[in-house]
Amino acid sequence: EGKKNGESMWTYDTKRTTKRTGDVFELTLDTEMTLSEKSKISKFLNKNYPYGAFKTRSNKIHIFVDKKNRNKLAPKFKVDVHLQKDGAKAVDLTADTTVSPYVFKLTAPNFFTRWGIQQSSIDITADHQIGKSLVIDANILGGLHLEAKRGDNAKNGRDVSLLVKKGGVQMFKVTWSTEKVNNANEFKFILHDKLEVNPESILFKNIISQYKFLTPFNTRSGEFEFYVSKADKNVVLNKFYAKGKVMKDGNKALELLMTTNEQPYKFELFAPALLGNVKPGMTEAKISVAHNPGQSLEMKTNFQKFTGFKIYKTGSGNERKVEVNGKELVMGDYTLTDNSFSTKLTVGADYLEPKITWEGKLPQNKAEAEAFMLKNNIVVKVTGSKRNLDLSLNWKMTKPDFNFGTPENGKISLNAKGHNP
C-alpha cells in the first residue's frame, strides 16, 4: 500500500499458488489493486494510457500444463486470464489444447472498440488429427476457414489438400497427389497438382496478378512424370524420361518432354510465356539427338540460327566428318596407340596434322595414373598447310602428401616453336 499524508493512494495484493510434479505444472495467480484518483499514477494513466485509469482492478490467471500428454509440438496446456476494471470485464482469454478441437477465445471490449472490431469476442478453434488433418475456424475478417489434409493412397503415393475460405467463399484450394513405382526394373514418380484461386483473394491480388514473366490464372493444373529404367542403359546412363504438362484456365501453358528412352533422344519444351522472352514469337523449342555408338551422332533443332550438327564415319578407317547447319565443317581421321595420338583435320583445301606422344602407356588404374602424372615427357608436333608447331613438355615431382609443413620437389620444362599466319 502507498499513502500520502495518511491517505491511501494505491494498494496491491497478490496471491500465488504453484503445483509442480512430474505429471503437471499448475499456476494460479490472483491480484487485486486499488488506485486513488488523487494519485500521480492515476493522473499519468488518464493522460497517457489509451484506456484510461481505474479505481479497482483484479486479475485472475490460471495456467495448466500436462507434462505427460503432448500435441504435435508441445505439451497440452490450458491458460485462463480474467481482468476486471472497476467491476467491468476488461479482458477474458482462454487458450486450451487439452480438448479437441483446441480453443482460443479473447474478449476485450475496450480493445475491440478502439480498433474497430465489431464482434464481441475473437473465437478460434483448431481440430488437429496428427498426421491426417488440421481444420481451423476463426470468426475474424468475416469468418476464416482453413482445412489441410494428407494421407496415403492406393498408388503407393500421398494425397495432400489445402482449402481456405473467407466469409464462406472459397479463396483458394490446392491439391497434390503422387504415385510411385519402385522395383528391380524401374522407378517411376508421378505428381498431379491443381490450384484454384479466387480473383478477390490476397494470393491472387498480391502475387499471381503481379507475375512479370508468367501468365496469371484462376485455375491451374499440372501433371509431371519421371521414369528411370533400372534394366536398360544407353552408353553411360540408365534410360530415363521426364515429362510434364501445365494447363491454365483450360489452355495449355507448358509441356515438357525429355527422354533417352526412345530413339532419337528428345528435348521438347512448349512454353510461350517463357520462350517469348528469349525470342519474340517463339512458343516451343525442339531438340532431337540420334546416337549410333561408334558410327554417328546427329542433333536436330527447330532454331533459326542453329539447326543442328552431324558427326559420322565416312567409311574410310577412323575418318569422321562434321557438319553444322547442313554444311560440311571439318573432316578428320585419327590413330590412337598406347603412347601416341595422331589425327588429320581437313577444312576445304587446308589441313592440319597434329601428333602427340608421351612416355609409357595410357593409365589403366590408379597406380599407373599416379606414375604418369608424377613424371612424363609429352611431345606435340603439328604440321599443316599454313601452320606448324613443335612443343615439348616434361616434368618430374615428388608425390605430394598435402602436408604444408614438409617440402616438396618438382621440375617442369616447356619448349615450343612454330609458325602461325
Side-chain angles (χ1 to χ4, degrees):
E1 181 177 9
K3 293 183 178 182
K4 181 179 179 180
N5 298 326
E7 183 178 356
S8 178
M9 294 290 102
W10 57 266
T11 64
Y12 181 83
D13 180 68
T14 183
K15 180 181 179 182
R16 185 181 73 178
T17 59
T18 303
K19 180 181 179 182
R20 191 190 303 269
T21 69
D23 296 336
V24 301
F25 169 79
E26 192 167 7
L27 170 68
T28 302
L29 184 65
D30 293 332
T31 302
E32 301 287 342
M33 185 174 182
T34 64
L35 188 63
S36 171
E37 293 177 324
K38 299 178 182 180
S39 68
K40 290 184 178 181
I41 296 177
S42 179
K43 294 176 181 179
F44 175 83
L45 292 175
N46 276 325
K47 181 179 179 181
N48 299 286
Y49 187 50
Y51 303 107
F54 57 87
K55 294 180 181 179
T56 63
R57 189 185 74 177
S58 65
N59 297 337
K60 295 183 181 295
I61 300 174
H62 179 249
I63 300 174
F64 171 82
V65 179
D66 185 345
K67 296 182 179 180
K68 295 191 69 176
N69 297 294
R70 298 177 60 88
N71 297 304
K72 180 64 175 179
L73 300 176
K76 294 185 176 183
F77 67 89
K78 182 178 182 181
V79 177
D80 285 302
V81 177
H82 305 284
L83 169 62
Q84 287 190 338
K85 291 174 66 174
D86 297 328
K89 182 189 298 183
V91 174
D92 272 341
L93 169 67
T94 298
D96 190 357
T97 67
T98 65
V99 296
S100 182
Y102 309 151
V103 174
F104 176 87
K105 183 172 184 177
L106 173 64
T107 303
N110 293 338
F111 176 83
F112 288 177
T113 299
R114 176 176 173 80
W115 292 99
I117 299 175
Q118 301 299 319
Q119 62 259 37
S120 60
S121 63
I122 294 176
D123 298 276
I124 302 174
T125 61
D127 187 357
H128 188 198
Q129 303 299 320
I130 296 176
K132 296 181 179 179
S133 65
L134 173 65
V135 179
I136 299 176
D137 287 290
N139 67 340
I140 58 176
L141 301 175
L144 293 180
H145 174 80
L146 182 148
E147 184 176 323
K149 296 181 179 180
R150 67 172 183 172
D152 298 332
N153 60 35
K155 297 181 178 180
N156 202 28
R158 307 209 74 180
D159 296 328
V160 180
S161 66
L162 175 63
L163 169 68
V164 175
K165 292 183 178 181
K166 179 182 177 183
V169 178
Q170 179 176 300
M171 291 293 101
F172 72 87
K173 181 180 180 180
V174 58
T175 57
W176 299 275
S177 180
T178 63
E179 305 173 27
K180 186 173 68 173
V181 176
N182 190 12
N183 54 44
N185 295 318
E186 63 181 1
F187 172 83
K188 182 189 292 186
F189 178 81
I190 302 175
L191 169 66
H192 307 270
D193 76 284
K194 186 174 183 180
L195 175 60
E196 303 170 30
V197 184
N198 189 314
E200 297 300 317
S201 67
I202 294 176
L203 176 62
F204 183 86
K205 290 180 178 179
N206 293 349
I207 299 178
I208 295 177
S209 66
Q210 304 300 317
Y211 281 170
K212 300 300 182 183
F213 300 107
L214 303 177
T215 54
F217 61 89
N218 296 125
T219 302
R220 189 201 71 192
S221 62
E223 179 174 323
F224 300 91
E225 182 175 338
F226 179 70
Y227 169 87
V228 177
S229 172
K230 297 181 180 180
D232 297 319
K233 285 189 174 185
N234 295 304
V235 176
V236 178
L237 301 174
N238 292 71
K239 292 184 177 181
F240 75 94
Y241 68 75
K243 59 183 180 180
K245 187 175 183 178
V246 175
M247 303 290 291
K248 289 185 177 181
D249 298 327
N251 300 312
K252 184 169 69 172
L254 182 147
E255 189 166 16
L256 169 70
L257 172 64
M258 181 169 59
T259 177
T260 65
N261 200 42
E262 59 184 79
Q263 279 282 5
Y265 309 152
K266 293 180 182 179
F267 174 82
E268 298 179 356
L269 175 65
F270 174 85
L274 290 174
L275 297 176
N277 290 292
V278 177
K279 179 179 176 60
M282 187 177 185
T283 61
E284 61 183 347
K286 291 186 176 182
I287 302 172
S288 66
V289 178
H291 186 203
N292 185 3
Q295 299 297 319
S296 65
L297 175 66
E298 182 176 11
M299 173 189 286
K300 295 181 180 179
T301 81
N302 68 333
F303 306 153
Q304 288 185 351
K305 294 185 177 181
F306 175 67
T307 60
F309 70 85
K310 185 177 182 180
I311 304 172
Y312 60 98
K313 293 183 71 172
T314 64
S316 175
N318 287 318
E319 186 178 67
R320 263 76 169 175
K321 185 179 289 188
V322 179
E323 296 177 359
V324 176
N325 291 343
K327 297 180 180 180
E328 182 179 319
L329 179 65
V330 66
M331 184 168 59
D333 194 357
Y334 75 91
T335 302
L336 177 64
T337 70
D338 283 342
N339 63 353
S340 70
F341 171 82
S342 60
T343 183
K344 181 177 181 179
L345 303 174
T346 303
V347 181
D350 294 326
Y351 71 93
L352 199 65
E353 292 187 62
K355 183 175 183 179
I356 306 172
T357 61
W358 53 85
E359 292 183 356
K361 64 180 182 178
L362 287 172
Q364 300 295 319
N365 52 52
K366 183 178 178 181
E368 291 178 0
E370 182 179 288
F372 187 92
M373 297 303 296
L374 290 178
K375 179 183 178 182
N376 215 302
N377 181 36
I378 293 179
V379 176
V380 179
K381 183 176 181 63
V382 180
T383 60
S385 56
K386 295 180 179 179
R387 298 167 176 83
N388 61 76
L389 172 68
D390 287 304
L391 180 148
S392 65
L393 172 66
N394 59 78
W395 68 87
K396 182 179 180 181
M397 67 179 73
T398 57
K399 182 179 178 180
D401 58 8
F402 299 101
N403 181 352
F404 296 106
T406 59
E408 306 290 354
N409 296 312
K411 181 180 180 181
I412 185 169
S413 174
L414 172 66
N415 292 290
K417 64 178 181 178
H419 170 74
N420 193 49

